[in-house]
Amino acid sequence: MTAPVRENLTGLDLRAEIDRLRKERNAVILAHYYQKPEIQDLADFVGDSLELSRKAADTDADVIAFCGVKFMAETAKILSPEKIVILPDMDAGCSLEDSCPPEQFARFRAKHPDHIALTYINCSAAVKALSDIIVTSSSAETIISQIPEDQPIIFGPDRHLGGYLNRKFGREMLLWPGVCIVHEAFSETELLKLKAQHPGAPIAAHPECPPHIVDHADYVGSTSGILQFAKTFPGDTLIVATEPHIIHQMELALPEKTFIGAPGADGNCNCNICPYMALNTMEKLYIALRDLQPRIEMDEELRLAARKSLDRMLDMASGTVGKGDLGRA
Ligand code: 13P
Ligand code: SF4
């Protein structure tokens, strides 16, 4: 893990300094829904992986300050190579990316030459370069429905998202055995106990959750899909089975409703907070904007190879915003 910030920033109005630097640098601050509330509150845009990719591709800012994890900032660099892309903490990784080293993924591909590689965006640029089409959780359904049924597919690195798509679409994609450590940590027993305490409350789950959680969900979808469900469900209490920082947006939009994070194994742990997303702090964002470091750099050949599968995602997902989610009808 990265060293903590050693500079003494006491007395500095971080919010004001970040605002000043954002103007001076002509920077846009993009944040994922799993970021700390104070970062979500100052971001120019908060969104899911697909929305953030689109923003990164379209922005006319000179600098993209990406408050998310490394594969997201890398995606921004692949789509906007002329921009400076900074990530407050370069150690903000992802367990799904870690589960899928490119050399092993290349061997897996080579064993199945008749399969195309449909790959979740939560992977390295090198794995993107080895893939045919990238998906996010909000575009996967739209994209998979455009692939002929007789086309064999390998899907990585998230076996739970892949398994969910297999069940929903009656496909038999070969699955890479990766998981998200955050969504893996939800406990079915504790979820059922919570449900018994709030019998009328629906459950909304991210498809990175294992099947024993997803099977209890009234709604399954990406972070933006879950947020949309939270804004429209008719009750007053919702159980949320994804990283709990998204609840900040729900409470801002619907202060009169109650949102409860789904529990982990001890019924009340912090194990569902993404430890990688949590590495980004206001202090590190301030330093990153001031120094324009840490910065995403990428070999041009790798970038161009990774761009092909990302462009295919953007093309196949386009025109379907709001319809292409994994939400159950
Ligand atoms: P979304 O695309 O749904 O925002 O998911 C990103 C992610 O990392 C979930 O763990
Ligand atoms: Fe990766 Fe899971 Fe964190 Fe998302 S929540 S960034 S999938 S470790």
Side-chain angles (χ1 to χ4, degrees):
M1 290 284 153
T2 358
V5 173
R6 297 219 183 275
E7 285 182 51
N8 186 358
L9 301 176
T10 323
L12 208 61
D13 180 344
L14 286 171
R15 170 88 213 214
E17 284 300 301
I18 289 168
D19 272 341
R20 179 180 65 76
L21 286 166
R22 151 170 43 201
K23 286 190 200 101
E24 262 178 45
R25 304 285 193 208
N26 187 25
V28 64
I29 301 176
L30 304 181
H32 189 264
Y33 290 124
Y34 295 167
Q35 290 292 283
K36 297 176 207 299
E38 61 266 34
I39 292 182
Q40 292 189 38
D41 288 349
L42 61 71
D44 295 291
F45 182 79
V46 187
D48 74 6
S49 306
L50 180 65
E51 293 163 340
L52 291 169
S53 304
R54 285 188 169 132
K55 282 281 168 196
D58 292 346
T59 183
D60 54 11
D62 295 319
V63 175
I64 299 173
F66 210 112
C67 298
V69 290
K70 190 173 171 200
F71 77 80
M72 296 177 175
E74 271 186 357
T75 300
K77 186 69 184 173
I78 293 166
L79 295 170
S80 276
E82 67 293 353
K83 316 277 181 215
I84 292 173
V85 179
I86 49 176
L87 178 65
D89 192 317
M90 207 43 96
D91 282 346
C94 170
S95 65
L96 283 168
E97 173 176 350
D98 292 347
S99 80
C100 194
E103 322 75 55
Q104 289 178 25
F105 188 71
R107 283 200 288 279
F108 183 54
R109 277 225 72 171
K111 270 196 208 151
H112 305 285
D114 55 333
H115 287 54
I116 61 162
L118 189 65
T119 306
Y120 194 30
I121 197 165
N122 298 36
C123 64
S124 63
V127 167
K128 287 183 178 75
L130 291 164
S131 302
D132 296 298
I133 311 170
I134 299 301
V135 297
T136 64
S137 51
S138 61
S139 59
E141 185 173 323
T142 305
I143 290 174
I144 206 170
S145 60
Q146 294 170 56
I147 301 173
E149 278 167 27
D150 59 355
Q151 170 62 60
I153 302 174
I154 56 178
F155 186 91
D158 185 4
R159 70 184 167 96
H160 293 320
L161 173 59
Y164 177 77
L165 293 166
N166 272 347
R167 292 193 298 283
K168 186 152 185 179
F169 285 84
R171 301 209 69 138
E172 291 179 357
M173 297 189 293
L174 295 178
L175 306 179
W176 184 267
V179 295
C180 160
I181 51 166
V182 172
H183 291 85
E184 188 76 351
F186 291 119
S187 156
E188 182 180 20
T189 311
E190 295 301 324
L191 181 64
L192 292 178
K193 278 193 213 162
L194 185 67
K195 179 82 185 160
Q197 287 162 23
H198 303 277
I203 298 172
H206 197 281
E208 287 177 14
C209 292
H212 59 259
I213 299 296
V214 161
D215 286 350
H216 296 293
D218 300 276
Y219 177 83
V220 182
S222 65
T223 51
S224 53
I226 291 175
L227 190 54
Q228 192 55 30
F229 181 76
K231 289 177 182 168
T232 50
F233 82 105
D236 57 16
T237 303
L238 177 67
I239 298 172
V240 181
T242 193
E243 213 272 1
H245 284 116
I246 194 175
I247 290 177
H248 179 58
Q249 290 298 325
M250 297 174 184
E251 290 175 341
L252 285 178
L254 298 142
E256 71 288 0
K257 297 207 179 194
T258 304
F259 301 100
I260 309 174
D266 72 357
N268 190 26
C269 66
N270 277 335
C271 48
N272 307 120
I273 289 180
C274 175
Y276 307 102
M277 291 273 183
L279 287 174
N280 294 327
T281 61
M282 293 281 281
E283 287 81 0
K284 290 179 198 171
L285 174 58
Y286 160 73
I287 291 171
L289 279 166
R290 186 192 66 191
D291 300 350
L292 295 180
Q293 294 287 350
R295 203 184 280 204
I296 302 282
E297 308 280 7
M298 197 175 298
D299 170 74
E300 184 62 3
E301 209 178 313
L302 172 64
R303 188 189 74 77
L304 289 172
R307 175 142 197 167
K308 283 191 199 148
S309 56
L310 272 171
D311 277 346
R312 229 170 259 144
M313 170 187 82
L314 293 173
D315 286 348
M316 292 176 85
S318 66
T320 53
V321 187
K323 292 187 211 153
D325 210 339
L326 292 162
R328 287 182 182 151

PDB file of all heavy atoms in Angstrom, residues 34 69 71-72 93-96 122 180-183 208 243 274 276-277, ligand 2:
ATOM      1  N   TYR A  34     -18.500   4.842  -5.587  1.00  0.00           N
ATOM      2  CA  TYR A  34     -17.911   4.201  -4.403  1.00  0.00           C
ATOM      3  C   TYR A  34     -16.899   5.097  -3.699  1.00  0.00           C
ATOM      4  O   TYR A  34     -16.222   4.664  -2.773  1.00  0.00           O
ATOM      5  CB  TYR A  34     -17.206   2.895  -4.792  1.00  0.00           C
ATOM      6  CG  TYR A  34     -18.084   1.783  -5.327  1.00  0.00           C
ATOM      7  CD1 TYR A  34     -17.519   0.675  -5.949  1.00  0.00           C
ATOM      8  CD2 TYR A  34     -19.466   1.804  -5.209  1.00  0.00           C
ATOM      9  CE1 TYR A  34     -18.291  -0.366  -6.438  1.00  0.00           C
ATOM     10  CE2 TYR A  34     -20.250   0.777  -5.714  1.00  0.00           C
ATOM     11  CZ  TYR A  34     -19.660  -0.311  -6.326  1.00  0.00           C
ATOM     12  OH  TYR A  34     -20.424  -1.338  -6.818  1.00  0.00           O
ATOM     13  N   VAL A  69     -10.695   3.780  -9.357  1.00  0.00           N
ATOM     14  CA  VAL A  69      -9.549   2.864  -9.275  1.00  0.00           C
ATOM     15  C   VAL A  69      -8.754   2.898 -10.580  1.00  0.00           C
ATOM     16  O   VAL A  69      -9.176   3.496 -11.572  1.00  0.00           O
ATOM     17  CB  VAL A  69      -9.997   1.441  -8.875  1.00  0.00           C
ATOM     18  CG1 VAL A  69     -10.463   1.410  -7.431  1.00  0.00           C
ATOM     19  CG2 VAL A  69     -11.055   0.907  -9.805  1.00  0.00           C
ATOM     20  N   PHE A  71      -7.948   0.868 -13.074  1.00  0.00           N
ATOM     21  CA  PHE A  71      -8.417   0.465 -14.402  1.00  0.00           C
ATOM     22  C   PHE A  71      -9.343   1.531 -14.990  1.00  0.00           C
ATOM     23  O   PHE A  71      -9.426   1.683 -16.217  1.00  0.00           O
ATOM     24  CB  PHE A  71      -9.082  -0.929 -14.365  1.00  0.00           C
ATOM     25  CG  PHE A  71     -10.486  -0.965 -13.802  1.00  0.00           C
ATOM     26  CD1 PHE A  71     -11.581  -0.602 -14.573  1.00  0.00           C
ATOM     27  CD2 PHE A  71     -10.715  -1.377 -12.502  1.00  0.00           C
ATOM     28  CE1 PHE A  71     -12.876  -0.627 -14.062  1.00  0.00           C
ATOM     29  CE2 PHE A  71     -12.004  -1.426 -11.984  1.00  0.00           C
ATOM     30  CZ  PHE A  71     -13.089  -1.036 -12.766  1.00  0.00           C
ATOM     31  N   MET A  72     -10.039   2.286 -14.140  1.00  0.00           N
ATOM     32  CA  MET A  72     -10.927   3.348 -14.628  1.00  0.00           C
ATOM     33  C   MET A  72     -10.100   4.520 -15.176  1.00  0.00           C
ATOM     34  O   MET A  72     -10.424   5.081 -16.230  1.00  0.00           O
ATOM     35  CB  MET A  72     -11.840   3.831 -13.501  1.00  0.00           C
ATOM     36  CG  MET A  72     -12.793   2.769 -12.984  1.00  0.00           C
ATOM     37  SD  MET A  72     -13.779   3.376 -11.591  1.00  0.00           S
ATOM     38  CE  MET A  72     -14.859   1.962 -11.338  1.00  0.00           C
ATOM     39  N   GLY A  93      -6.152  -0.285  -6.774  1.00  0.00           N
ATOM     40  CA  GLY A  93      -6.317  -1.367  -7.752  1.00  0.00           C
ATOM     41  C   GLY A  93      -7.704  -1.968  -7.707  1.00  0.00           C
ATOM     42  O   GLY A  93      -8.684  -1.285  -7.393  1.00  0.00           O
ATOM     43  N   CYS A  94      -7.789  -3.260  -8.002  1.00  0.00           N
ATOM     44  CA  CYS A  94      -9.089  -3.940  -8.018  1.00  0.00           C
ATOM     45  C   CYS A  94      -8.805  -5.444  -7.967  1.00  0.00           C
ATOM     46  O   CYS A  94      -7.942  -5.934  -8.707  1.00  0.00           O
ATOM     47  CB  CYS A  94      -9.846  -3.577  -9.293  1.00  0.00           C
ATOM     48  SG  CYS A  94     -11.332  -4.551  -9.577  1.00  0.00           S
ATOM     49  N   SER A  95      -9.533  -6.165  -7.115  1.00  0.00           N
ATOM     50  CA  SER A  95      -9.259  -7.610  -6.976  1.00  0.00           C
ATOM     51  C   SER A  95      -9.572  -8.355  -8.271  1.00  0.00           C
ATOM     52  O   SER A  95      -8.967  -9.390  -8.556  1.00  0.00           O
ATOM     53  CB  SER A  95     -10.068  -8.203  -5.818  1.00  0.00           C
ATOM     54  OG  SER A  95     -11.456  -8.147  -6.085  1.00  0.00           O
ATOM     55  N   LEU A  96     -10.500  -7.844  -9.066  1.00  0.00           N
ATOM     56  CA  LEU A  96     -10.812  -8.509 -10.343  1.00  0.00           C
ATOM     57  C   LEU A  96      -9.635  -8.358 -11.306  1.00  0.00           C
ATOM     58  O   LEU A  96      -9.237  -9.321 -11.965  1.00  0.00           O
ATOM     59  CB  LEU A  96     -12.088  -7.917 -10.948  1.00  0.00           C
ATOM     60  CG  LEU A  96     -13.384  -8.398 -10.304  1.00  0.00           C
ATOM     61  CD1 LEU A  96     -14.566  -7.554 -10.754  1.00  0.00           C
ATOM     62  CD2 LEU A  96     -13.634  -9.870 -10.608  1.00  0.00           C
ATOM     63  N   ASN A 122     -13.335  -4.159 -15.616  1.00  0.00           N
ATOM     64  CA  ASN A 122     -12.480  -4.252 -14.420  1.00  0.00           C
ATOM     65  C   ASN A 122     -11.287  -5.176 -14.700  1.00  0.00           C
ATOM     66  O   ASN A 122     -11.196  -6.292 -14.178  1.00  0.00           O
ATOM     67  CB  ASN A 122     -13.279  -4.802 -13.226  1.00  0.00           C
ATOM     68  CG  ASN A 122     -14.446  -3.926 -12.826  1.00  0.00           C
ATOM     69  OD1 ASN A 122     -15.092  -3.333 -13.682  1.00  0.00           O
ATOM     70  ND2 ASN A 122     -14.736  -3.858 -11.550  1.00  0.00           N
ATOM     71  N   CYS A 180     -14.911 -10.130  -7.088  1.00  0.00           N
ATOM     72  CA  CYS A 180     -14.709  -8.865  -6.380  1.00  0.00           C
ATOM     73  C   CYS A 180     -14.742  -9.191  -4.895  1.00  0.00           C
ATOM     74  O   CYS A 180     -15.757  -9.718  -4.405  1.00  0.00           O
ATOM     75  CB  CYS A 180     -15.820  -7.875  -6.746  1.00  0.00           C
ATOM     76  SG  CYS A 180     -15.962  -6.558  -5.524  1.00  0.00           S
ATOM     77  N   ILE A 181     -13.681  -8.861  -4.166  1.00  0.00           N
ATOM     78  CA  ILE A 181     -13.625  -9.204  -2.733  1.00  0.00           C
ATOM     79  C   ILE A 181     -14.693  -8.464  -1.929  1.00  0.00           C
ATOM     80  O   ILE A 181     -15.075  -8.918  -0.857  1.00  0.00           O
ATOM     81  CB  ILE A 181     -12.238  -8.888  -2.116  1.00  0.00           C
ATOM     82  CG1 ILE A 181     -11.802  -7.456  -2.449  1.00  0.00           C
ATOM     83  CG2 ILE A 181     -11.198  -9.908  -2.572  1.00  0.00           C
ATOM     84  CD1 ILE A 181     -10.629  -6.961  -1.611  1.00  0.00           C
ATOM     85  N   VAL A 182     -15.170  -7.358  -2.454  1.00  0.00           N
ATOM     86  CA  VAL A 182     -16.163  -6.562  -1.734  1.00  0.00           C
ATOM     87  C   VAL A 182     -17.543  -7.228  -1.834  1.00  0.00           C
ATOM     88  O   VAL A 182     -18.212  -7.468  -0.816  1.00  0.00           O
ATOM     89  CB  VAL A 182     -16.198  -5.132  -2.334  1.00  0.00           C
ATOM     90  CG1 VAL A 182     -17.331  -4.312  -1.759  1.00  0.00           C
ATOM     91  CG2 VAL A 182     -14.859  -4.448  -2.135  1.00  0.00           C
ATOM     92  N   HIS A 183     -17.956  -7.569  -3.034  1.00  0.00           N
ATOM     93  CA  HIS A 183     -19.278  -8.180  -3.221  1.00  0.00           C
ATOM     94  C   HIS A 183     -19.307  -9.627  -2.738  1.00  0.00           C
ATOM     95  O   HIS A 183     -20.356 -10.144  -2.359  1.00  0.00           O
ATOM     96  CB  HIS A 183     -19.697  -8.061  -4.686  1.00  0.00           C
ATOM     97  CG  HIS A 183     -19.991  -6.638  -5.073  1.00  0.00           C
ATOM     98  ND1 HIS A 183     -19.016  -5.759  -5.470  1.00  0.00           N
ATOM     99  CD2 HIS A 183     -21.156  -5.937  -5.064  1.00  0.00           C
ATOM    100  CE1 HIS A 183     -19.557  -4.575  -5.714  1.00  0.00           C
ATOM    101  NE2 HIS A 183     -20.860  -4.653  -5.475  1.00  0.00           N
ATOM    102  N   GLU A 208     -22.042  -8.260  -9.429  1.00  0.00           N
ATOM    103  CA  GLU A 208     -20.776  -8.832  -8.930  1.00  0.00           C
ATOM    104  C   GLU A 208     -21.005  -9.669  -7.671  1.00  0.00           C
ATOM    105  O   GLU A 208     -20.092 -10.355  -7.206  1.00  0.00           O
ATOM    106  CB  GLU A 208     -19.776  -7.720  -8.618  1.00  0.00           C
ATOM    107  CG  GLU A 208     -19.194  -7.060  -9.846  1.00  0.00           C
ATOM    108  CD  GLU A 208     -18.268  -5.909  -9.507  1.00  0.00           C
ATOM    109  OE1 GLU A 208     -17.863  -5.775  -8.334  1.00  0.00           O
ATOM    110  OE2 GLU A 208     -17.966  -5.115 -10.414  1.00  0.00           O
ATOM    111  N   GLU A 243     -21.284  -1.696  -2.792  1.00  0.00           N
ATOM    112  CA  GLU A 243     -20.401  -0.906  -1.932  1.00  0.00           C
ATOM    113  C   GLU A 243     -21.202   0.246  -1.312  1.00  0.00           C
ATOM    114  O   GLU A 243     -21.898   0.993  -2.029  1.00  0.00           O
ATOM    115  CB  GLU A 243     -19.246  -0.366  -2.792  1.00  0.00           C
ATOM    116  CG  GLU A 243     -17.933  -0.249  -2.061  1.00  0.00           C
ATOM    117  CD  GLU A 243     -17.723   1.054  -1.347  1.00  0.00           C
ATOM    118  OE1 GLU A 243     -18.628   1.922  -1.394  1.00  0.00           O
ATOM    119  OE2 GLU A 243     -16.656   1.225  -0.744  1.00  0.00           O
ATOM    120  N   CYS A 274     -14.928  -0.804  -0.326  1.00  0.00           N
ATOM    121  CA  CYS A 274     -13.843  -1.197  -1.242  1.00  0.00           C
ATOM    122  C   CYS A 274     -12.535  -0.586  -0.733  1.00  0.00           C
ATOM    123  O   CYS A 274     -12.387   0.644  -0.713  1.00  0.00           O
ATOM    124  CB  CYS A 274     -14.145  -0.733  -2.663  1.00  0.00           C
ATOM    125  SG  CYS A 274     -12.765  -1.082  -3.771  1.00  0.00           S
ATOM    126  N   TYR A 276      -9.709  -0.414  -2.067  1.00  0.00           N
ATOM    127  CA  TYR A 276      -8.940   0.279  -3.118  1.00  0.00           C
ATOM    128  C   TYR A 276      -9.527   1.674  -3.348  1.00  0.00           C
ATOM    129  O   TYR A 276      -8.797   2.664  -3.398  1.00  0.00           O
ATOM    130  CB  TYR A 276      -8.972  -0.520  -4.422  1.00  0.00           C
ATOM    131  CG  TYR A 276      -8.545  -1.960  -4.255  1.00  0.00           C
ATOM    132  CD1 TYR A 276      -9.481  -2.992  -4.213  1.00  0.00           C
ATOM    133  CD2 TYR A 276      -7.203  -2.288  -4.119  1.00  0.00           C
ATOM    134  CE1 TYR A 276      -9.094  -4.310  -4.053  1.00  0.00           C
ATOM    135  CE2 TYR A 276      -6.806  -3.605  -3.966  1.00  0.00           C
ATOM    136  CZ  TYR A 276      -7.759  -4.617  -3.928  1.00  0.00           C
ATOM    137  OH  TYR A 276      -7.374  -5.911  -3.765  1.00  0.00           O
ATOM    138  N   MET A 277     -10.839   1.738  -3.498  1.00  0.00           N
ATOM    139  CA  MET A 277     -11.492   3.042  -3.697  1.00  0.00           C
ATOM    140  C   MET A 277     -11.192   3.968  -2.513  1.00  0.00           C
ATOM    141  O   MET A 277     -11.032   5.175  -2.678  1.00  0.00           O
ATOM    142  CB  MET A 277     -13.010   2.844  -3.800  1.00  0.00           C
ATOM    143  CG  MET A 277     -13.470   2.129  -5.054  1.00  0.00           C
ATOM    144  SD  MET A 277     -13.708   3.302  -6.393  1.00  0.00           S
ATOM    145  CE  MET A 277     -14.324   2.222  -7.682  1.00  0.00           C
TER     146      MET A 277
HETATM  147 FE1  SF4 B   2     -12.826  -3.849  -7.844  1.00  0.00          FE
HETATM  148 FE2  SF4 B   2     -14.729  -4.738  -6.228  1.00  0.00          FE
HETATM  149 FE3  SF4 B   2     -13.500  -2.469  -5.627  1.00  0.00          FE
HETATM  150 FE4  SF4 B   2     -15.226  -2.581  -7.732  1.00  0.00          FE
HETATM  151  S1  SF4 B   2     -15.705  -2.825  -5.557  1.00  0.00           S
HETATM  152  S2  SF4 B   2     -13.193  -1.642  -7.707  1.00  0.00           S
HETATM  153  S3  SF4 B   2     -14.823  -4.664  -8.467  1.00  0.00           S
HETATM  154  S4  SF4 B   2     -12.552  -4.528  -5.705  1.00  0.00           S
END
